[in-house]
């Protein structure tokens, strides 16, 4: 199926293969680089499920999706997929988030070989107790690296305050304790359940004429290559995956908390919790965009509030905000470096609560709509951006291109529909302080 | 793609025409002196200039203007190359062709002109409010370096390794110098930039040359002087004795930074070989250090080497368990010795070349990287095209890599380590 997006001037082809794998192709004529991403709709959100072919729910240790991602690179013949990619001159990588696990590569030549390798290494699980043991050492160092990062501490602290049980409260990588409990058998169960082609998608972004040269119909040739690869493998019939994600309402777990680290400048974050809701197609993505506009218009650099925060020395420079709506729950996060964490937190909470009654001038509203359109057209320069985000949003049931284009029809009333989120009991904060800071004395 | 160099009002102008981007990028680059004396003033100056202009006298006014230009992104940064400061004023806009409108490029150039030539001066000084505000923000930014442990460790290593050399100076500036900077100093620094520095222009996107040059001419008459500071250091530094430094902080993972001297810079005949050496040693995922330290000994999640080609320094950085300091540094040192003795794995050599080629070709897919490639040629007095550098890399032999390795010598090791780690094990 071919879709044309007039405003973004992009094209997308989609086909679902016989084994259930969804394949997407975005042609980028003239680009030297091709980006391919093969992802499963499985990430750190899922820690309780019925394994493929079994009947009972099992609980698996935190961090297992990420652990599995690490182990996938090991091939049954003892070679390492990342090295095989490197030998072809391709850059391979992988990432795990709460929503998805993505395996990706980019390069300028050997793309057909790279696509075969991408499909092959992800579709040949190979785990031994010995290699699991070695990986525990590597991942433990990765987790320790994050433990010294005050931004990570701030984020996780805030998530723990927002959520009682929803897995966003845990690091994607798990904990130093939980990863030690992971066994090869756990990995096999997760793999069998979540790496079935019907739970996965593949996207290729690049100059397909160049990739498939001299084929007269490069798109068909590309799809044939993928189909041939899949035809060589046997997959069991797809089953509905039974998983249990502990979603929750909008009330925060704990309103406020802090930690101390060996740092010099305090950091503070304020979170707004988005309760579990059922989202229609494209709606999770549009909710993220709408919330971003609300934040920009309320505390962004073009507001008087931003200047006021600088004048009152509530922030030490940039204000960072982050919006996540994963199709189940979500959050808004606002953070800054600040020497007056208490005042900063109070100021931002107050601003966020003011959004329970949204008043927008038409002119400002249109300016933001125009800017959002512009920023997405700029992002279309990047095959990586398109490829990764198309799949990420696909797994929240959105067609990224279509959703962005529909944004032009947004009305002020659509923003006002979000007023219900901005409640005092949905707000929490978290502060990371230098180790010798006296909390009673902070402002 | 077509790359063309023209002279506009006496300014060297590089036009990179390609239809594959949906954006227009314009960079105006000033080259001046980078030194301990000027670093902090320049760092503060870029912040003040990026904050407001006469026509857009507040952050709000400037941010609103950028939103109105379909979320244009504008910036001012300064970074060093050898003893040269490179100050870049840039703007990226959506190409007006993709929006079906006219005049957006012209507005973008006018805004760049505002930021560079029409700052928010009152009675010959920067607005006192802006000055004090940006001074405070830079102070906090400098304080914050301590929060990023790897960056902190790298800075400390360079300070220990070369206290009297330019590499120990941070382009962010220093707290000590910042307190002394006055508004008058900053205005003097600004005037020096306009009067005494070298200026070049870079544009990338899908445009008609004639109309682009017409729009760019709105920047007016710019004074540009010949550039006279070193952009690449050329004197190799001999290592007398390897020095080790430790610092304790309350952290979970130790940060290991090893500084090496190299006798190769970007102008050397061995430059392509040095790129290949770095990739093989620790620059790519398939590199020897990743294999040895991460895959075979599980000592680190990540270990990487970086070649600083303008200052002839190579840095190896890793996050490790503090008690594994000796084991890790031994592996890093032994591997270098192995290269020096000619232990060049031909397969890894090939992999490194393919990775570098791949990275080079990808430059052509990113407007900012394309501009930076052209700028680096201008800055370092080189004349590579992407494909020439690619060919030079492909021609590198195992002997070339060995020759690079022979000129690499460990100088200083810095370990930032947790307070709980047993000092004796170090």
């Amino acid at each position: 199926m071919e879709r044309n997006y007039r405003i973004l001037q992009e094209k997308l082809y989609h086909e679902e293969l016989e084994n259930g794998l969804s394949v997407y192709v975005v042609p980028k004529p003239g680009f030297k680089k091709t980006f391919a991403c093969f992802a499963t709709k499985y990430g750190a959100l899922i820690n309780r499920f019925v394994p493929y072919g079994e009947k009972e729910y099992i609980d698996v240790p935190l961090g297992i999706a990420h652990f599995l991602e690490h182990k996938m690179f090991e091939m049954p013949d003892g070679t390492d997929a990342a090295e095989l990619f490197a030998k072809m001159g391709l850059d391979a990588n992988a990432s795990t988030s709460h929503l998805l696990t993505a395996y990706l590569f980019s390069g300028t030549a050997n793309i057909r070989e790279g696509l075969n390798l991408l499909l092959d290494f992800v579709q040949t699980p190979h785990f031994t107790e010995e290699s699991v043991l070695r990986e525990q050492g590597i991942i433990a160092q990765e987790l320790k690296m994050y433990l010294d990062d005050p931004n990570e501490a701030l984020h996780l602290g805030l998530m723990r305050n927002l959520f009682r049980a929803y897995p966003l409260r845990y690091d994607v990588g798990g904990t130093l304790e939980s990863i030690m409990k992971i066994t090869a058998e756990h990995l096999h169960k997760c793999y069998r359940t979540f790496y079935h082609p019907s739970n996965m998608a593949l996207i290729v972004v690049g100059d397909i004429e160049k990739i498939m040269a001299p084929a007269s119909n490069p798109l068909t040739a590309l799809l044939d290559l993928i189909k041939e690869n899949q035809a060589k493998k046997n997959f069991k019939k797809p089953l509905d995956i039974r998983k249990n994600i502990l979603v929750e309402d909008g009330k925060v777990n704990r309103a406020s908390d802090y930690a101390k680290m060996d740092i010099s400048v305090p950091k503070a974050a304020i979170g707004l919790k988005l309760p579990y809701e059922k989202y229609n197609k494209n709606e999770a993505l549009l909710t993220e965009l709408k919330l971003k506009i609300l934040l920009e218009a309320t505390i962004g650099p073009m507001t008087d509030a931003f200047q006021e925060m600088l004048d009152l020395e509530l922030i030490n420079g940039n204000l960072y905000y982050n919006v996540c709506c994963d199709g189940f729950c979500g959050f808004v996060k606002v953070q800054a470096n600040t020497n007056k964490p208490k005042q900063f937190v109070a100021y931002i909470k107050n601003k966020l609560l003011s959004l329970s009654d949204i008043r927008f001038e038409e002119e400002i509203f249109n300016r933001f709509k125009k800017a959002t359109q512009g920023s997405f057209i700029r992002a279309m320069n990047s095959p990586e951006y398109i490829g990764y985000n198309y799949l990420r949003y696909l797994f929240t049931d959105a067609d990224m291109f279509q959703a962005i284009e529909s944004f032009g029809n947004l009305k002020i009333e659509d923003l006002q529909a979000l007023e219900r989120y901005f409640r005092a009991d949905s707000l929490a904060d978290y502060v990371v302080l230098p180790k010798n800071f006296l909390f009673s004395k902070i402002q | 793609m077509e790359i063309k160099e023209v002279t506009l009002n006496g300014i060297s102008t590089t036009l990179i025409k390609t239809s594959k981007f949906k954006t227009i990028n314009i960079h105006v680059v000033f080259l001046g002196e980078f030194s301990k004396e000027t670093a902090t003033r320049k760092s503060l100056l870029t912040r003040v200039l990026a904050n407001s202009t006469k026509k857009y006298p507040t952050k709000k006014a400037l941010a609103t203007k950028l939103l109105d230009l379909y979320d244009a992104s504008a910036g001012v940064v300064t970074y060093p190359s050898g003893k040269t400061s490179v100050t870049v004023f840039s703007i990226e806009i959506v190409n007006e062709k993709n929006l079906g409108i006219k005049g957006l490029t012209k507005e973008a150039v006018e805004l760049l002109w505002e930021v560079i030539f029409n700052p928010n001066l009152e009675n010959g000084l920067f607005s006192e409010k802006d000055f004090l505000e940006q001074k405070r923000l830079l102070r906090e930014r400098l304080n914050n370096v301590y929060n990023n442990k790897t960056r902190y460790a790298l800075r400390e290593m360079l300070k220990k390794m070369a206290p009297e050399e330019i590499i120990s100076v941070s382009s962010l500036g220093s707290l000590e110098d910042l307190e002394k900077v006055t508004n008058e100093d900053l205005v003097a620094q600004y005037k020096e930039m306009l009067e005494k520095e070298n200026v070049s222009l870079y544009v990338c996107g899908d445009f008609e040359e004639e109309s682009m040059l017409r729009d760019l001419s709105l920047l007016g008459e710019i004074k540009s002087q010949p550039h006279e500071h070193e952009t690449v250091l050329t004197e190799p530094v001999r290592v007398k004795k390897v020095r080790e430094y430790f610092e304790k902080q309350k952290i979970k993972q130790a940060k290991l930074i090893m500084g090496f001297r190299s006798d190769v810079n970007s102008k050397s005949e061995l430059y392509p070989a040095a790129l290949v050496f770095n990739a093989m040693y620790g620059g790519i995922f398939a590199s020897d250090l990743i294999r040895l330290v991460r895959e075979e000994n599980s000592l680190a999640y990540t270990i990487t080497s970086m070649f600083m080609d303008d200052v002839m320094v190579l840095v190896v950085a890793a996050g490790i368990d503090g008690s594994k300091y000796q084991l890790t540094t031994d592996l890093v040192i032994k591997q270098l010795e192995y290269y020096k003795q000619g232990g060049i794995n031909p397969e890894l050599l090939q992999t490194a070349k393919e990775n570098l080629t791949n990275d080079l070709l990808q430059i052509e897919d990113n407007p900012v990287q394309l501009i930076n490639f052209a700028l680096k040629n201008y800055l370092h007095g080189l004349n590579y095209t992407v494909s020439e550098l690619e060919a030079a890399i492909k021609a590198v032999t195992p002997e070339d890599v060995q020759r690079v390795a022979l000129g690499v010598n460990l100088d200083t090791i810095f370990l930032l380590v947790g307070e709980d780690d047993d000092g004796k094990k170090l």
Side-chain angles (χ1 to χ4, degrees):
Chain A
M1 186 174 59
E2 177 183 335
R3 293 181 209 149
N4 281 290
Y5 302 94
R6 198 180 45 80
I7 300 171
L8 294 169
Q9 299 173 29
E10 296 289 344
K11 245 188 204 149
L12 175 92
Y13 300 100
H14 171 227
E15 184 168 332
E16 191 179 315
L17 306 188
E18 269 176 41
N19 65 15
L21 177 67
S22 261
V23 180
Y24 297 86
V25 179
V26 181
K28 276 281 178 189
F31 272 68
K32 300 253 167 165
K33 169 163 55 187
T34 297
F35 175 82
C37 182
F38 186 28
T40 164
K41 189 178 176 180
Y42 167 56
L45 278 186
I46 303 173
N47 297 300
R48 187 173 156 75
F49 61 93
V50 178
Y52 188 96
E54 296 181 24
K55 288 190 177 129
E56 303 293 323
Y57 274 94
I58 62 162
D59 292 296
V60 286
L62 294 174
I64 193 153
H66 172 256
F67 202 105
L68 190 55
E69 173 227 297
H70 270 237
K71 286 316 311 160
M72 287 316 303
F73 282 88
E74 198 170 292
M75 308 277 281
D77 62 4
T79 54
D80 181 281
E83 267 179 50
L84 297 178
F85 276 110
K87 280 179 188 161
M88 295 179 188
L90 301 169
D91 266 335
N93 212 333
S95 75
T96 307
S97 69
H98 283 88
L99 198 58
L100 73 157
T101 311
Y103 300 86
L104 39 103
F105 79 87
S106 68
T108 53
N110 303 325
I111 301 305
R112 287 182 275 188
E113 293 80 355
L115 281 170
N116 273 315
L117 177 57
L118 178 67
L119 291 164
D120 290 346
F121 96 85
V122 178
Q123 292 182 330
T124 48
H126 174 73
F127 320 115
T128 62
E129 293 302 342
E130 186 203 344
S131 74
V132 166
L133 217 57
R134 201 178 54 225
E135 204 62 39
Q136 283 166 341
I138 294 176
I139 294 180
Q141 283 301 332
E142 183 181 0
L143 294 178
K144 281 186 186 171
M145 180 173 85
Y146 301 139
L147 287 175
D148 286 332
D149 181 344
N151 287 318
E152 291 281 334
L154 187 70
H155 179 77
L156 280 178
L158 183 69
M159 292 301 119
R160 283 195 303 274
N161 280 358
L162 289 179
F163 298 102
R164 294 184 293 277
Y166 190 63
L168 276 177
R169 74 181 255 114
Y170 304 111
D171 190 307
V172 166
T175 65
L176 289 170
E177 294 77 37
S178 75
I179 59 165
M180 294 305 163
K181 295 184 195 140
I182 291 174
T183 64
E185 195 197 343
H186 283 131
L187 296 175
H188 278 292
K189 286 189 178 185
C190 292
Y191 185 86
R192 275 201 300 275
T193 312
F194 298 108
Y195 280 67
H196 191 280
S198 59
N199 195 45
M200 299 188 72
L202 170 70
I203 190 165
V204 182
V205 188
D207 188 340
I208 51 173
E209 253 176 59
K210 202 184 76 198
I211 302 169
M212 300 314 295
S216 57
N217 187 337
L219 178 70
T220 312
L222 176 60
L223 290 170
D224 283 349
L225 180 150
I226 297 164
K227 285 176 198 164
E228 253 171 60
N229 177 291
Q230 293 300 282
K232 286 182 209 147
K233 297 167 191 164
N234 290 318
F235 297 98
K236 293 191 173 147
K237 68 175 168 60
L239 295 175
D240 275 344
I241 299 172
R242 283 156 67 203
K243 57 199 173 197
N244 191 341
I245 299 174
L246 297 166
V247 294
E248 46 197 85
D249 60 22
K251 286 201 183 66
V252 301
N253 180 36
R254 184 208 290 251
S256 184
D257 201 2
Y258 73 97
K260 289 188 173 184
M261 289 178 77
D262 197 344
I263 56 171
S264 52
V265 181
K267 289 172 178 286
I270 298 90
L272 175 81
K273 181 173 175 182
L274 305 181
Y276 169 73
E277 280 179 4
K278 279 226 176 294
Y279 290 94
N280 294 325
K281 186 172 164 65
N282 291 343
E283 216 188 324
L285 187 161
L286 290 171
T287 301
E288 282 190 2
L289 288 183
K290 288 179 219 168
L291 285 167
K292 274 183 195 159
I293 287 190
L294 287 176
L295 289 174
E296 281 274 346
T298 312
I299 50 175
M302 54 92 52
T303 61
D304 292 326
F306 187 83
Q307 188 60 51
E308 190 176 32
M309 282 186 273
L310 284 171
D311 293 345
L312 296 169
E313 301 192 358
L314 299 185
I315 54 176
N316 294 348
N318 291 334
L319 192 66
Y320 301 93
Y321 26 85
N322 189 349
V323 177
C324 167
C325 179
D326 59 22
F328 302 97
C329 298
F331 63 86
V332 169
K333 178 175 81 164
V334 180
Q335 76 171 73
N337 290 347
T338 169
N339 293 327
K340 299 178 179 174
K342 276 190 182 169
Q343 288 179 21
F344 168 68
V345 165
Y347 188 94
I348 294 292
K349 282 188 174 174
N350 194 24
K351 285 289 170 194
L352 289 176
L353 286 177
S354 75
L355 289 170
S356 59
D357 179 16
I358 294 168
R359 291 155 197 273
F360 237 127
E361 285 167 42
E362 194 74 28
E363 186 198 338
I364 296 178
F365 178 69
N366 287 331
R367 173 177 293 143
F368 278 111
K369 273 204 322 196
K370 202 166 102 172
T372 304
Q373 187 194 348
S375 78
F376 275 107
I377 295 179
R378 290 205 288 131
M380 295 300 119
N381 273 355
S382 164
E384 282 94 341
Y385 179 89
I386 294 173
Y388 182 81
N389 285 293
Y390 194 86
L391 294 191
R392 184 204 175 270
Y393 286 120
L394 179 72
F395 293 153
T396 67
D397 193 22
D399 171 349
M400 179 175 81
F401 296 131
Q402 189 190 59
I404 293 164
E405 295 208 336
S406 76
F407 204 65
N409 307 323
L410 192 76
K411 295 184 186 61
I412 293 180
E413 299 85 80
D414 298 322
L415 291 182
Q416 283 162 338
L418 303 184
E419 285 173 350
R420 64 201 151 91
Y421 291 143
F422 296 91
R423 302 156 43 109
D425 60 1
S426 290
L427 287 171
D429 65 84
Y430 194 80
V431 179
V432 179
L433 298 167
K435 59 181 176 178
N436 47 10
F437 228 88
L438 289 175
F439 197 56
S440 57
K441 286 197 180 163
I442 68 169
Q443 292 174 289
Chain B
M1 191 173 65
E2 185 194 336
I3 302 180
K4 193 169 170 185
E5 281 172 36
V6 299
T7 305
L8 178 76
N9 291 345
I11 305 297
S12 155
T13 303
T14 304
L15 302 173
I16 305 168
K17 277 176 70 172
T18 166
S19 61
K20 66 182 168 188
F21 303 129
K22 292 178 174 157
T23 49
I24 298 279
N25 291 68
I26 306 171
H27 290 205
V28 183
V29 180
F30 288 75
L31 304 183
E33 185 193 16
F34 180 67
S35 64
K36 168 117 177 61
E37 290 66 43
T38 57
T40 307
R41 291 203 294 264
K42 291 195 168 187
S43 173
L44 182 57
L45 179 62
T46 55
R47 288 172 169 265
V48 170
L49 292 178
N51 189 60
S52 64
T53 76
K54 200 81 199 165
K55 188 170 174 191
Y56 306 104
T58 60
K59 222 178 270 62
K60 176 180 177 173
L62 195 53
T64 304
K65 179 66 192 170
L66 287 169
L67 277 186
D68 279 341
L69 297 179
Y70 288 82
D71 194 31
S73 137
V76 190
V77 294
T78 187
Y79 62 88
S81 173
K83 292 178 182 171
T84 296
S85 71
V86 185
T87 306
V88 184
F89 296 84
S90 65
I91 191 159
E92 177 177 288
I93 48 164
V94 177
N95 193 324
E96 51 196 51
K97 287 182 184 173
N98 287 77
L99 295 165
I101 57 166
K102 282 217 157 74
L104 200 62
T105 310
K106 182 168 171 272
E107 281 192 70
V109 174
E110 281 169 346
L111 183 59
L112 259 186
W113 180 85
E114 273 286 321
V115 173
I116 304 170
F117 297 106
N118 200 22
N120 195 9
L121 293 172
E122 297 162 1
N123 305 319
L125 291 176
F126 288 107
S127 126
E128 191 65 8
K129 182 175 185 300
D130 279 8
F131 174 75
L132 291 175
E133 176 182 295
Q134 293 306 317
K135 199 168 169 176
R136 178 179 82 83
L137 297 184
L138 179 55
R139 186 184 305 123
E140 295 302 341
R141 177 71 191 75
L142 286 163
N143 277 328
N144 196 46
V145 171
Y146 187 83
N147 286 12
N148 183 328
K149 300 305 174 192
T150 305
R151 191 179 305 164
Y152 171 83
L154 175 63
R155 286 262 43 111
E156 288 304 301
M157 190 283 288
L158 290 171
K159 277 193 221 165
K160 305 279 187 211
M161 176 162 148
E164 303 300 324
E165 295 170 47
I166 196 70
I167 50 171
S168 66
V169 180
S170 163
S171 63
L172 202 55
S174 75
L175 282 168
E176 195 191 4
D177 293 337
L178 182 64
E179 295 317 316
K180 290 181 249 165
V181 179
T182 65
N183 202 330
E184 287 79 6
D185 294 338
L186 212 58
V187 172
Q189 194 66 53
Y190 172 64
K191 290 200 167 140
E192 189 181 304
M193 182 186 91
L194 295 188
E195 304 279 329
K196 299 200 175 136
E197 298 202 346
N198 176 269
V199 188
S200 52
L201 262 171
Y202 304 82
V203 184
C204 181
D206 186 9
F207 52 82
E208 310 306 326
E209 183 176 328
E210 201 183 316
S211 78
M212 179 54 78
L213 288 175
R214 197 167 50 237
D215 288 341
L216 288 174
S217 67
L218 295 171
L219 289 170
E221 294 286 334
I222 306 177
K223 277 187 208 162
S224 177
Q225 309 295 343
H227 181 61
E228 50 195 25
H229 304 283
E230 269 183 288
T231 53
V232 179
L233 305 189
T234 49
E235 278 305 308
V237 177
R238 272 182 206 291
V239 182
K240 292 186 192 96
K241 186 175 177 291
V242 177
R243 290 162 299 164
E244 293 173 279
Y245 297 92
F246 306 107
E247 179 177 329
K248 291 202 167 193
Q249 286 186 9
K250 203 166 182 250
I251 50 174
K252 299 273 190 310
Q253 184 184 61
K255 307 294 173 197
L256 170 69
I257 311 282
M258 301 171 74
F260 299 77
R261 301 287 188 170
S262 159
D263 55 9
V264 177
N265 61 27
S266 58
K267 291 173 187 272
S268 316
E269 166 218 351
L270 279 176
Y271 174 58
L275 296 177
V276 174
F277 165 78
N278 179 57
M280 292 176 70
Y281 190 47
I284 59 174
F285 191 76
S287 68
D288 277 323
L289 292 186
I290 292 258
R291 176 178 57 80
L292 283 166
V293 174
R294 171 179 155 134
E295 299 299 326
E296 289 178 12
N297 290 285
S298 296
L299 292 174
Y301 166 67
T302 172
I303 180 161
T304 178
S305 69
M306 295 166 283
F307 174 43
M308 299 157 79
D309 60 16
D310 59 329
V311 291
M312 305 168 87
V313 167
L314 183 97
V315 173
V316 169
I320 59 169
D321 186 337
S323 66
K324 305 283 169 59
Y325 168 76
Q326 204 62 49
L327 193 55
T328 313
T329 49
D330 282 352
L331 284 170
V332 173
I333 293 165
K334 270 189 199 152
Q335 192 58 29
L336 177 62
E337 285 307 315
Y338 187 65
Y339 278 67
K340 289 188 184 198
Q341 287 156 20
I344 313 294
N345 176 345
E347 228 179 299
L348 179 56
L349 175 72
Q350 192 51 37
T351 300
K353 286 183 185 181
E354 287 190 12
N355 270 266
L356 289 168
T357 306
N358 191 29
D359 289 348
L360 272 174
L361 291 174
Q362 294 188 10
I363 289 174
E364 296 187 3
D365 288 344
N366 181 306
V368 175
Q369 283 192 37
L370 266 170
I371 287 177
N372 284 341
F373 189 84
L375 171 60
K376 187 165 176 182
N377 267 335
Y378 178 76
L379 194 58
H380 290 204
L382 303 170
N383 207 4
Y384 284 118
T385 61
V386 167
S387 44
E388 280 163 3
L389 189 53
E390 184 194 348
I393 283 168
K394 284 195 170 142
V396 170
T397 65
E399 292 72 30
D400 295 337
V401 176
Q402 186 186 5
R403 277 170 65 204
V404 172
L406 284 167
V408 174
N409 291 298
L410 181 59
D411 186 313
T412 300
I413 309 177
F414 182 84
L415 185 74
L416 184 63
V417 66
E419 277 169 356
D420 307 332
D421 274 310
D422 180 359
K424 279 178 208 156
K425 284 184 196 156
L426 305 173

